[in-house]
Amino acid sequence: MPELPEVETVRLGLEKLLVGHTILVETHDTDKGFPNSSSDVEQFLVGAEVIAVRRRAKVLLIDLNTSYTLVIHLKMTGQLVYRGKESFGAGHPNESLIGALPDRSTRVTFELDRGAKLFFNDQRKFGWVRLLPTIEVPNIDFMKKVGPEPLEDDFTPKIFIERIRRRANTSIKAALLDQTVLAGIGNIYADESLWGAKIHPATHVKDVSDAELKKLFTEIQYVLRLAIEKGGSTDKNYVNAEGKKGSYIDFARVFRREGLPCPRHSDTLIVKSKVAGRGTHTCPRCQTIVKY
DNA sequence: CACTTGACCTGTCCGC
DNA sequence: TGCGGACAGGTCAAGT
């Protein structure tokens, strides 16, 4: 659920809300979600000021003025929600949308100056928070092997095609989900971009032409940019830094639209199947498996 | 090495 | 109504 557009939406919100705040207290329910030693927390987190909020792939990076960084992965059901005086005000237009926090999914609470708080919620407990020296962030295993950012200027169709061809004998969907090929695509945007490029997700990479991959590159960028513009996709859990849902799902062409008409063919219904071990949505008319 | 599957978790939904 | 099982899907470890 949190894929690149969702994490980027959280980042944009936290950049506005969190930078300049000082972290006063940190509490967490178990060490699983936040396994750092308490001495590190006391020394490099408590009293630290947030100076920047970055993103790499689906990972959030909250930089502190102690040269340490909070590294956060939301996985499937993670949320990072900020609550300040501006969030609570009586009569606030979004007051009714904002549930009371902490709730039973809250794993980590950061108490900030000016009466604000930051909550890390995670229903399924797959997500995690780590405190690392900023300079070591690029050296963690995930960062060393993760592929290029799909929306950066230096990511070109040529680079995309070269990298994805390394996965010649797997399905194109499995290759898109492989974070070492490119960063940030998950189940929603894999299905959406493959529909856009009219490629069936089960097609082996070796059976997809360069022209089709080039089209897929364009569709990936289009879908990711549109999703960021819409504040991401909320299927169930995802909310942004203010606790609000994203609206991309209202614009989705295939994802979670099984039984509904394909936007290209009003007489053909979207079907759901399983590809690369994931629920997969396709139009049986415009997406067919072709072998050369 | 390339590739696939299972584990990690909890809440929800579906069929009996 | 209650209950068991399938399902949701990001990443890593273990398996083929």
PDB file of all heavy atoms in Angstrom, chain A residues 223-260:
ATOM      1  N   VAL A 223       1.836   7.416 -14.156  1.00  0.00           N
ATOM      2  CA  VAL A 223       1.014   6.915 -13.051  1.00  0.00           C
ATOM      3  C   VAL A 223       1.562   7.400 -11.707  1.00  0.00           C
ATOM      4  O   VAL A 223       0.799   7.834 -10.836  1.00  0.00           O
ATOM      5  CB  VAL A 223       0.969   5.365 -13.106  1.00  0.00           C
ATOM      6  CG1 VAL A 223       0.480   4.791 -11.794  1.00  0.00           C
ATOM      7  CG2 VAL A 223       0.078   4.893 -14.243  1.00  0.00           C
ATOM      8  N   LEU A 224       2.872   7.349 -11.545  1.00  0.00           N
ATOM      9  CA  LEU A 224       3.460   7.784 -10.270  1.00  0.00           C
ATOM     10  C   LEU A 224       3.223   9.269 -10.041  1.00  0.00           C
ATOM     11  O   LEU A 224       2.888   9.702  -8.932  1.00  0.00           O
ATOM     12  CB  LEU A 224       4.956   7.468 -10.221  1.00  0.00           C
ATOM     13  CG  LEU A 224       5.339   5.984 -10.206  1.00  0.00           C
ATOM     14  CD1 LEU A 224       6.856   5.831 -10.191  1.00  0.00           C
ATOM     15  CD2 LEU A 224       4.723   5.254  -9.023  1.00  0.00           C
ATOM     16  N   ARG A 225       3.391  10.070 -11.105  1.00  0.00           N
ATOM     17  CA  ARG A 225       3.186  11.522 -10.957  1.00  0.00           C
ATOM     18  C   ARG A 225       1.733  11.845 -10.658  1.00  0.00           C
ATOM     19  O   ARG A 225       1.433  12.689  -9.813  1.00  0.00           O
ATOM     20  CB  ARG A 225       3.638  12.255 -12.227  1.00  0.00           C
ATOM     21  CG  ARG A 225       5.141  12.252 -12.391  1.00  0.00           C
ATOM     22  CD  ARG A 225       5.608  13.309 -13.409  1.00  0.00           C
ATOM     23  NE  ARG A 225       7.067  13.341 -13.451  1.00  0.00           N
ATOM     24  CZ  ARG A 225       7.793  12.939 -14.488  1.00  0.00           C
ATOM     25  NH1 ARG A 225       7.199  12.483 -15.576  1.00  0.00           N
ATOM     26  NH2 ARG A 225       9.116  12.989 -14.442  1.00  0.00           N
ATOM     27  N   LEU A 226       0.819  11.164 -11.355  1.00  0.00           N
ATOM     28  CA  LEU A 226      -0.602  11.398 -11.100  1.00  0.00           C
ATOM     29  C   LEU A 226      -0.954  11.018  -9.662  1.00  0.00           C
ATOM     30  O   LEU A 226      -1.696  11.726  -8.973  1.00  0.00           O
ATOM     31  CB  LEU A 226      -1.456  10.585 -12.090  1.00  0.00           C
ATOM     32  CG  LEU A 226      -2.969  10.690 -11.904  1.00  0.00           C
ATOM     33  CD1 LEU A 226      -3.450  12.127 -12.126  1.00  0.00           C
ATOM     34  CD2 LEU A 226      -3.703   9.741 -12.861  1.00  0.00           C
ATOM     35  N   ALA A 227      -0.403   9.873  -9.212  1.00  0.00           N
ATOM     36  CA  ALA A 227      -0.722   9.404  -7.855  1.00  0.00           C
ATOM     37  C   ALA A 227      -0.203  10.373  -6.800  1.00  0.00           C
ATOM     38  O   ALA A 227      -0.878  10.626  -5.795  1.00  0.00           O
ATOM     39  CB  ALA A 227      -0.139   8.012  -7.644  1.00  0.00           C
ATOM     40  N   ILE A 228       0.982  10.942  -7.017  1.00  0.00           N
ATOM     41  CA  ILE A 228       1.498  11.932  -6.064  1.00  0.00           C
ATOM     42  C   ILE A 228       0.578  13.149  -6.049  1.00  0.00           C
ATOM     43  O   ILE A 228       0.230  13.677  -4.988  1.00  0.00           O
ATOM     44  CB  ILE A 228       2.947  12.331  -6.423  1.00  0.00           C
ATOM     45  CG1 ILE A 228       3.899  11.151  -6.196  1.00  0.00           C
ATOM     46  CG2 ILE A 228       3.394  13.543  -5.583  1.00  0.00           C
ATOM     47  CD1 ILE A 228       5.304  11.367  -6.731  1.00  0.00           C
ATOM     48  N   GLU A 229       0.136  13.563  -7.239  1.00  0.00           N
ATOM     49  CA  GLU A 229      -0.772  14.704  -7.345  1.00  0.00           C
ATOM     50  C   GLU A 229      -2.071  14.458  -6.586  1.00  0.00           C
ATOM     51  O   GLU A 229      -2.642  15.371  -5.990  1.00  0.00           O
ATOM     52  CB  GLU A 229      -1.048  14.933  -8.825  1.00  0.00           C
ATOM     53  CG  GLU A 229      -1.809  16.191  -9.160  1.00  0.00           C
ATOM     54  CD  GLU A 229      -2.148  16.205 -10.661  1.00  0.00           C
ATOM     55  OE1 GLU A 229      -1.232  15.932 -11.481  1.00  0.00           O
ATOM     56  OE2 GLU A 229      -3.313  16.470 -11.004  1.00  0.00           O
ATOM     57  N   LYS A 230      -2.521  13.198  -6.568  1.00  0.00           N
ATOM     58  CA  LYS A 230      -3.779  12.855  -5.892  1.00  0.00           C
ATOM     59  C   LYS A 230      -3.554  12.483  -4.428  1.00  0.00           C
ATOM     60  O   LYS A 230      -4.473  12.013  -3.756  1.00  0.00           O
ATOM     61  CB  LYS A 230      -4.469  11.691  -6.614  1.00  0.00           C
ATOM     62  CG  LYS A 230      -4.805  11.965  -8.070  1.00  0.00           C
ATOM     63  CD  LYS A 230      -5.738  13.153  -8.227  1.00  0.00           C
ATOM     64  CE  LYS A 230      -5.981  13.470  -9.692  1.00  0.00           C
ATOM     65  NZ  LYS A 230      -6.696  14.749  -9.878  1.00  0.00           N
ATOM     66  N   GLY A 231      -2.335  12.611  -3.947  1.00  0.00           N
ATOM     67  CA  GLY A 231      -2.061  12.298  -2.544  1.00  0.00           C
ATOM     68  C   GLY A 231      -1.982  10.817  -2.255  1.00  0.00           C
ATOM     69  O   GLY A 231      -2.191  10.386  -1.113  1.00  0.00           O
ATOM     70  N   GLY A 232      -1.680  10.005  -3.285  1.00  0.00           N
ATOM     71  CA  GLY A 232      -1.512   8.571  -3.088  1.00  0.00           C
ATOM     72  C   GLY A 232      -2.829   7.814  -3.147  1.00  0.00           C
ATOM     73  O   GLY A 232      -3.876   8.389  -3.443  1.00  0.00           O
ATOM     74  N   SER A 233      -2.749   6.511  -2.890  1.00  0.00           N
ATOM     75  CA  SER A 233      -3.913   5.627  -2.933  1.00  0.00           C
ATOM     76  C   SER A 233      -4.242   5.150  -1.537  1.00  0.00           C
ATOM     77  O   SER A 233      -3.374   4.620  -0.847  1.00  0.00           O
ATOM     78  CB  SER A 233      -3.618   4.397  -3.796  1.00  0.00           C
ATOM     79  OG  SER A 233      -3.315   4.755  -5.118  1.00  0.00           O
ATOM     80  N   THR A 234      -5.495   5.336  -1.123  1.00  0.00           N
ATOM     81  CA  THR A 234      -5.923   4.730   0.134  1.00  0.00           C
ATOM     82  C   THR A 234      -6.852   3.593  -0.198  1.00  0.00           C
ATOM     83  O   THR A 234      -7.941   3.796  -0.721  1.00  0.00           O
ATOM     84  CB  THR A 234      -6.651   5.752   1.027  1.00  0.00           C
ATOM     85  OG1 THR A 234      -5.724   6.758   1.412  1.00  0.00           O
ATOM     86  CG2 THR A 234      -7.171   5.062   2.281  1.00  0.00           C
ATOM     87  N   ASP A 235      -6.369   2.360   0.076  1.00  0.00           N
ATOM     88  CA  ASP A 235      -7.220   1.203  -0.089  1.00  0.00           C
ATOM     89  C   ASP A 235      -7.875   0.923   1.256  1.00  0.00           C
ATOM     90  O   ASP A 235      -9.083   0.940   1.406  1.00  0.00           O
ATOM     91  CB  ASP A 235      -6.381   0.023  -0.572  1.00  0.00           C
ATOM     92  CG  ASP A 235      -7.247  -1.166  -0.891  1.00  0.00           C
ATOM     93  OD1 ASP A 235      -8.427  -0.960  -1.193  1.00  0.00           O
ATOM     94  OD2 ASP A 235      -6.746  -2.299  -0.830  1.00  0.00           O
ATOM     95  N   LYS A 236      -7.038   0.725   2.261  1.00  0.00           N
ATOM     96  CA  LYS A 236      -7.561   0.520   3.607  1.00  0.00           C
ATOM     97  C   LYS A 236      -6.909   1.462   4.611  1.00  0.00           C
ATOM     98  O   LYS A 236      -7.551   2.320   5.196  1.00  0.00           O
ATOM     99  CB  LYS A 236      -7.308  -0.928   4.049  1.00  0.00           C
ATOM    100  CG  LYS A 236      -8.198  -1.903   3.368  1.00  0.00           C
ATOM    101  CD  LYS A 236      -8.199  -3.221   4.114  1.00  0.00           C
ATOM    102  CE  LYS A 236      -9.381  -4.074   3.706  1.00  0.00           C
ATOM    103  NZ  LYS A 236      -9.120  -5.286   3.062  1.00  0.00           N
ATOM    104  N   ASN A 237      -5.616   1.274   4.796  1.00  0.00           N
ATOM    105  CA  ASN A 237      -4.952   1.907   5.928  1.00  0.00           C
ATOM    106  C   ASN A 237      -4.270   3.239   5.645  1.00  0.00           C
ATOM    107  O   ASN A 237      -4.134   4.050   6.532  1.00  0.00           O
ATOM    108  CB  ASN A 237      -3.873   0.975   6.493  1.00  0.00           C
ATOM    109  CG  ASN A 237      -4.473  -0.197   7.216  1.00  0.00           C
ATOM    110  OD1 ASN A 237      -4.739  -0.130   8.397  1.00  0.00           O
ATOM    111  ND2 ASN A 237      -4.711  -1.265   6.487  1.00  0.00           N
ATOM    112  N   TYR A 238      -3.830   3.414   4.424  1.00  0.00           N
ATOM    113  CA  TYR A 238      -2.912   4.522   4.180  1.00  0.00           C
ATOM    114  C   TYR A 238      -3.524   5.897   4.478  1.00  0.00           C
ATOM    115  O   TYR A 238      -4.610   6.227   4.022  1.00  0.00           O
ATOM    116  CB  TYR A 238      -2.410   4.502   2.726  1.00  0.00           C
ATOM    117  CG  TYR A 238      -1.702   5.782   2.390  1.00  0.00           C
ATOM    118  CD1 TYR A 238      -0.427   6.033   2.898  1.00  0.00           C
ATOM    119  CD2 TYR A 238      -2.321   6.778   1.660  1.00  0.00           C
ATOM    120  CE1 TYR A 238       0.211   7.236   2.660  1.00  0.00           C
ATOM    121  CE2 TYR A 238      -1.697   7.984   1.402  1.00  0.00           C
ATOM    122  CZ  TYR A 238      -0.429   8.204   1.911  1.00  0.00           C
ATOM    123  OH  TYR A 238       0.184   9.392   1.682  1.00  0.00           O
ATOM    124  N   VAL A 239      -2.784   6.700   5.225  1.00  0.00           N
ATOM    125  CA  VAL A 239      -3.109   8.121   5.398  1.00  0.00           C
ATOM    126  C   VAL A 239      -1.815   8.925   5.313  1.00  0.00           C
ATOM    127  O   VAL A 239      -0.729   8.388   5.514  1.00  0.00           O
ATOM    128  CB  VAL A 239      -3.805   8.431   6.752  1.00  0.00           C
ATOM    129  CG1 VAL A 239      -5.176   7.796   6.819  1.00  0.00           C
ATOM    130  CG2 VAL A 239      -2.919   8.014   7.930  1.00  0.00           C
ATOM    131  N   ASN A 240      -1.942  10.210   5.021  1.00  0.00           N
ATOM    132  CA  ASN A 240      -0.761  11.066   4.931  1.00  0.00           C
ATOM    133  C   ASN A 240      -0.363  11.588   6.315  1.00  0.00           C
ATOM    134  O   ASN A 240      -0.903  11.156   7.337  1.00  0.00           O
ATOM    135  CB  ASN A 240      -0.998  12.192   3.921  1.00  0.00           C
ATOM    136  CG  ASN A 240      -2.052  13.187   4.401  1.00  0.00           C
ATOM    137  OD1 ASN A 240      -2.429  13.199   5.573  1.00  0.00           O
ATOM    138  ND2 ASN A 240      -2.513  14.014   3.492  1.00  0.00           N
ATOM    139  N   ALA A 241       0.558  12.528   6.330  1.00  0.00           N
ATOM    140  CA  ALA A 241       1.098  13.003   7.607  1.00  0.00           C
ATOM    141  C   ALA A 241       0.065  13.748   8.442  1.00  0.00           C
ATOM    142  O   ALA A 241       0.238  13.951   9.638  1.00  0.00           O
ATOM    143  CB  ALA A 241       2.318  13.896   7.357  1.00  0.00           C
ATOM    144  N   GLU A 242      -1.026  14.161   7.808  1.00  0.00           N
ATOM    145  CA  GLU A 242      -2.098  14.833   8.550  1.00  0.00           C
ATOM    146  C   GLU A 242      -3.238  13.885   8.886  1.00  0.00           C
ATOM    147  O   GLU A 242      -4.265  14.309   9.405  1.00  0.00           O
ATOM    148  CB  GLU A 242      -2.643  16.009   7.723  1.00  0.00           C
ATOM    149  CG  GLU A 242      -1.603  17.070   7.445  1.00  0.00           C
ATOM    150  CD  GLU A 242      -2.136  18.128   6.493  1.00  0.00           C
ATOM    151  OE1 GLU A 242      -2.935  18.953   6.940  1.00  0.00           O
ATOM    152  OE2 GLU A 242      -1.754  18.114   5.321  1.00  0.00           O
ATOM    153  N   GLY A 243      -3.057  12.609   8.562  1.00  0.00           N
ATOM    154  CA  GLY A 243      -4.095  11.632   8.860  1.00  0.00           C
ATOM    155  C   GLY A 243      -5.188  11.554   7.808  1.00  0.00           C
ATOM    156  O   GLY A 243      -6.217  10.932   8.021  1.00  0.00           O
ATOM    157  N   LYS A 244      -4.959  12.166   6.636  1.00  0.00           N
ATOM    158  CA  LYS A 244      -5.982  12.169   5.592  1.00  0.00           C
ATOM    159  C   LYS A 244      -5.693  11.123   4.525  1.00  0.00           C
ATOM    160  O   LYS A 244      -4.543  10.791   4.260  1.00  0.00           O
ATOM    161  CB  LYS A 244      -6.052  13.555   4.931  1.00  0.00           C
ATOM    162  CG  LYS A 244      -6.463  14.670   5.877  1.00  0.00           C
ATOM    163  CD  LYS A 244      -6.555  15.983   5.099  1.00  0.00           C
ATOM    164  CE  LYS A 244      -6.372  17.170   6.030  1.00  0.00           C
ATOM    165  NZ  LYS A 244      -6.053  18.396   5.274  1.00  0.00           N
ATOM    166  N   LYS A 245      -6.757  10.666   3.879  1.00  0.00           N
ATOM    167  CA  LYS A 245      -6.630   9.638   2.857  1.00  0.00           C
ATOM    168  C   LYS A 245      -6.220  10.231   1.510  1.00  0.00           C
ATOM    169  O   LYS A 245      -6.448  11.402   1.245  1.00  0.00           O
ATOM    170  CB  LYS A 245      -7.967   8.904   2.710  1.00  0.00           C
ATOM    171  CG  LYS A 245      -8.391   8.208   3.991  1.00  0.00           C
ATOM    172  CD  LYS A 245      -9.731   7.515   3.855  1.00  0.00           C
ATOM    173  CE  LYS A 245     -10.024   6.744   5.159  1.00  0.00           C
ATOM    174  NZ  LYS A 245     -11.243   5.944   5.054  1.00  0.00           N
ATOM    175  N   GLY A 246      -5.653   9.366   0.658  1.00  0.00           N
ATOM    176  CA  GLY A 246      -5.331   9.769  -0.711  1.00  0.00           C
ATOM    177  C   GLY A 246      -6.466   9.407  -1.646  1.00  0.00           C
ATOM    178  O   GLY A 246      -7.321   8.592  -1.304  1.00  0.00           O
ATOM    179  N   SER A 247      -6.477   9.985  -2.838  1.00  0.00           N
ATOM    180  CA  SER A 247      -7.636   9.789  -3.725  1.00  0.00           C
ATOM    181  C   SER A 247      -7.295   9.116  -5.051  1.00  0.00           C
ATOM    182  O   SER A 247      -8.154   9.001  -5.916  1.00  0.00           O
ATOM    183  CB  SER A 247      -8.312  11.136  -4.008  1.00  0.00           C
ATOM    184  OG  SER A 247      -7.487  11.945  -4.838  1.00  0.00           O
ATOM    185  N   TYR A 248      -6.030   8.649  -5.221  1.00  0.00           N
ATOM    186  CA  TYR A 248      -5.708   8.062  -6.534  1.00  0.00           C
ATOM    187  C   TYR A 248      -6.639   6.897  -6.872  1.00  0.00           C
ATOM    188  O   TYR A 248      -6.976   6.679  -8.038  1.00  0.00           O
ATOM    189  CB  TYR A 248      -4.251   7.585  -6.614  1.00  0.00           C
ATOM    190  CG  TYR A 248      -3.970   6.893  -7.926  1.00  0.00           C
ATOM    191  CD1 TYR A 248      -3.625   7.609  -9.063  1.00  0.00           C
ATOM    192  CD2 TYR A 248      -4.126   5.510  -8.051  1.00  0.00           C
ATOM    193  CE1 TYR A 248      -3.432   6.981 -10.281  1.00  0.00           C
ATOM    194  CE2 TYR A 248      -3.938   4.867  -9.267  1.00  0.00           C
ATOM    195  CZ  TYR A 248      -3.585   5.611 -10.376  1.00  0.00           C
ATOM    196  OH  TYR A 248      -3.418   4.977 -11.578  1.00  0.00           O
ATOM    197  N   ILE A 249      -7.048   6.151  -5.844  1.00  0.00           N
ATOM    198  CA  ILE A 249      -7.859   4.949  -6.085  1.00  0.00           C
ATOM    199  C   ILE A 249      -9.123   5.294  -6.891  1.00  0.00           C
ATOM    200  O   ILE A 249      -9.617   4.482  -7.657  1.00  0.00           O
ATOM    201  CB  ILE A 249      -8.192   4.272  -4.725  1.00  0.00           C
ATOM    202  CG1 ILE A 249      -8.341   2.761  -4.889  1.00  0.00           C
ATOM    203  CG2 ILE A 249      -9.407   4.874  -4.054  1.00  0.00           C
ATOM    204  CD1 ILE A 249      -7.051   2.010  -4.830  1.00  0.00           C
ATOM    205  N   ASP A 250      -9.611   6.532  -6.761  1.00  0.00           N
ATOM    206  CA  ASP A 250     -10.778   6.967  -7.546  1.00  0.00           C
ATOM    207  C   ASP A 250     -10.433   7.125  -9.025  1.00  0.00           C
ATOM    208  O   ASP A 250     -11.330   7.200  -9.862  1.00  0.00           O
ATOM    209  CB  ASP A 250     -11.308   8.318  -7.024  1.00  0.00           C
ATOM    210  CG  ASP A 250     -11.769   8.229  -5.578  1.00  0.00           C
ATOM    211  OD1 ASP A 250     -12.158   7.125  -5.166  1.00  0.00           O
ATOM    212  OD2 ASP A 250     -11.728   9.251  -4.876  1.00  0.00           O
ATOM    213  N   PHE A 251      -9.147   7.227  -9.328  1.00  0.00           N
ATOM    214  CA  PHE A 251      -8.716   7.427 -10.704  1.00  0.00           C
ATOM    215  C   PHE A 251      -8.105   6.151 -11.298  1.00  0.00           C
ATOM    216  O   PHE A 251      -7.716   6.143 -12.457  1.00  0.00           O
ATOM    217  CB  PHE A 251      -7.688   8.562 -10.783  1.00  0.00           C
ATOM    218  CG  PHE A 251      -8.243   9.876 -10.295  1.00  0.00           C
ATOM    219  CD1 PHE A 251      -8.249  10.189  -8.948  1.00  0.00           C
ATOM    220  CD2 PHE A 251      -8.806  10.783 -11.198  1.00  0.00           C
ATOM    221  CE1 PHE A 251      -8.773  11.393  -8.492  1.00  0.00           C
ATOM    222  CE2 PHE A 251      -9.334  11.982 -10.753  1.00  0.00           C
ATOM    223  CZ  PHE A 251      -9.330  12.292  -9.394  1.00  0.00           C
ATOM    224  N   ALA A 252      -8.017   5.092 -10.491  1.00  0.00           N
ATOM    225  CA  ALA A 252      -7.406   3.859 -10.956  1.00  0.00           C
ATOM    226  C   ALA A 252      -8.196   3.281 -12.127  1.00  0.00           C
ATOM    227  O   ALA A 252      -9.420   3.383 -12.163  1.00  0.00           O
ATOM    228  CB  ALA A 252      -7.327   2.841  -9.817  1.00  0.00           C
ATOM    229  N   ARG A 253      -7.454   2.698 -13.077  1.00  0.00           N
ATOM    230  CA  ARG A 253      -8.095   2.133 -14.254  1.00  0.00           C
ATOM    231  C   ARG A 253      -8.401   0.658 -14.069  1.00  0.00           C
ATOM    232  O   ARG A 253      -9.390   0.156 -14.604  1.00  0.00           O
ATOM    233  CB  ARG A 253      -7.222   2.340 -15.496  1.00  0.00           C
ATOM    234  CG  ARG A 253      -7.191   3.790 -15.989  1.00  0.00           C
ATOM    235  CD  ARG A 253      -6.195   4.675 -15.267  1.00  0.00           C
ATOM    236  NE  ARG A 253      -4.846   4.149 -15.232  1.00  0.00           N
ATOM    237  CZ  ARG A 253      -3.916   4.424 -16.159  1.00  0.00           C
ATOM    238  NH1 ARG A 253      -4.175   5.230 -17.142  1.00  0.00           N
ATOM    239  NH2 ARG A 253      -2.701   3.914 -16.048  1.00  0.00           N
ATOM    240  N   VAL A 254      -7.537  -0.068 -13.324  1.00  0.00           N
ATOM    241  CA  VAL A 254      -7.774  -1.503 -13.114  1.00  0.00           C
ATOM    242  C   VAL A 254      -7.716  -1.920 -11.647  1.00  0.00           C
ATOM    243  O   VAL A 254      -8.431  -2.830 -11.232  1.00  0.00           O
ATOM    244  CB  VAL A 254      -6.773  -2.376 -13.917  1.00  0.00           C
ATOM    245  CG1 VAL A 254      -7.102  -2.345 -15.402  1.00  0.00           C
ATOM    246  CG2 VAL A 254      -5.333  -1.964 -13.676  1.00  0.00           C
ATOM    247  N   PHE A 255      -6.863  -1.274 -10.852  1.00  0.00           N
ATOM    248  CA  PHE A 255      -6.647  -1.763  -9.491  1.00  0.00           C
ATOM    249  C   PHE A 255      -7.937  -1.715  -8.670  1.00  0.00           C
ATOM    250  O   PHE A 255      -8.589  -0.676  -8.593  1.00  0.00           O
ATOM    251  CB  PHE A 255      -5.553  -0.953  -8.787  1.00  0.00           C
ATOM    252  CG  PHE A 255      -5.140  -1.576  -7.483  1.00  0.00           C
ATOM    253  CD1 PHE A 255      -4.281  -2.657  -7.468  1.00  0.00           C
ATOM    254  CD2 PHE A 255      -5.647  -1.113  -6.289  1.00  0.00           C
ATOM    255  CE1 PHE A 255      -3.913  -3.258  -6.277  1.00  0.00           C
ATOM    256  CE2 PHE A 255      -5.285  -1.710  -5.094  1.00  0.00           C
ATOM    257  CZ  PHE A 255      -4.415  -2.781  -5.087  1.00  0.00           C
ATOM    258  N   ARG A 256      -8.274  -2.877  -8.080  1.00  0.00           N
ATOM    259  CA  ARG A 256      -9.500  -3.020  -7.290  1.00  0.00           C
ATOM    260  C   ARG A 256     -10.750  -2.697  -8.090  1.00  0.00           C
ATOM    261  O   ARG A 256     -11.730  -2.206  -7.542  1.00  0.00           O
ATOM    262  CB  ARG A 256      -9.445  -2.121  -6.035  1.00  0.00           C
ATOM    263  CG  ARG A 256      -8.542  -2.636  -4.955  1.00  0.00           C
ATOM    264  CD  ARG A 256      -9.066  -3.951  -4.396  1.00  0.00           C
ATOM    265  NE  ARG A 256      -7.985  -4.796  -3.944  1.00  0.00           N
ATOM    266  CZ  ARG A 256      -7.369  -4.671  -2.787  1.00  0.00           C
ATOM    267  NH1 ARG A 256      -7.746  -3.745  -1.972  1.00  0.00           N
ATOM    268  NH2 ARG A 256      -6.403  -5.488  -2.470  1.00  0.00           N
ATOM    269  N   ARG A 257     -10.691  -2.948  -9.397  1.00  0.00           N
ATOM    270  CA  ARG A 257     -11.856  -2.673 -10.249  1.00  0.00           C
ATOM    271  C   ARG A 257     -12.362  -3.937 -10.931  1.00  0.00           C
ATOM    272  O   ARG A 257     -13.013  -3.870 -11.981  1.00  0.00           O
ATOM    273  CB  ARG A 257     -11.490  -1.612 -11.298  1.00  0.00           C
ATOM    274  CG  ARG A 257     -11.342  -0.206 -10.702  1.00  0.00           C
ATOM    275  CD  ARG A 257     -10.985   0.832 -11.751  1.00  0.00           C
ATOM    276  NE  ARG A 257     -11.858   0.756 -12.921  1.00  0.00           N
ATOM    277  CZ  ARG A 257     -13.087   1.270 -12.974  1.00  0.00           C
ATOM    278  NH1 ARG A 257     -13.581   1.905 -11.938  1.00  0.00           N
ATOM    279  NH2 ARG A 257     -13.810   1.157 -14.065  1.00  0.00           N
ATOM    280  N   GLU A 258     -12.097  -5.111 -10.346  1.00  0.00           N
ATOM    281  CA  GLU A 258     -12.541  -6.351 -10.964  1.00  0.00           C
ATOM    282  C   GLU A 258     -14.070  -6.328 -11.117  1.00  0.00           C
ATOM    283  O   GLU A 258     -14.789  -5.887 -10.221  1.00  0.00           O
ATOM    284  CB  GLU A 258     -12.088  -7.573 -10.147  1.00  0.00           C
ATOM    285  CG  GLU A 258     -12.579  -7.639  -8.713  1.00  0.00           C
ATOM    286  CD  GLU A 258     -11.600  -7.001  -7.732  1.00  0.00           C
ATOM    287  OE1 GLU A 258     -10.904  -6.045  -8.114  1.00  0.00           O
ATOM    288  OE2 GLU A 258     -11.565  -7.477  -6.581  1.00  0.00           O
ATOM    289  N   GLY A 259     -14.516  -6.767 -12.296  1.00  0.00           N
ATOM    290  CA  GLY A 259     -15.951  -6.785 -12.570  1.00  0.00           C
ATOM    291  C   GLY A 259     -16.485  -5.480 -13.130  1.00  0.00           C
ATOM    292  O   GLY A 259     -17.645  -5.409 -13.526  1.00  0.00           O
ATOM    293  N   LEU A 260     -15.639  -4.451 -13.153  1.00  0.00           N
ATOM    294  CA  LEU A 260     -16.055  -3.161 -13.715  1.00  0.00           C
ATOM    295  C   LEU A 260     -15.469  -3.025 -15.126  1.00  0.00           C
ATOM    296  O   LEU A 260     -14.480  -3.674 -15.450  1.00  0.00           O
ATOM    297  CB  LEU A 260     -15.564  -2.015 -12.822  1.00  0.00           C
ATOM    298  CG  LEU A 260     -16.168  -2.011 -11.411  1.00  0.00           C
ATOM    299  CD1 LEU A 260     -15.453  -0.988 -10.517  1.00  0.00           C
ATOM    300  CD2 LEU A 260     -17.663  -1.718 -11.477  1.00  0.00           C
TER     301      LEU A 260
END
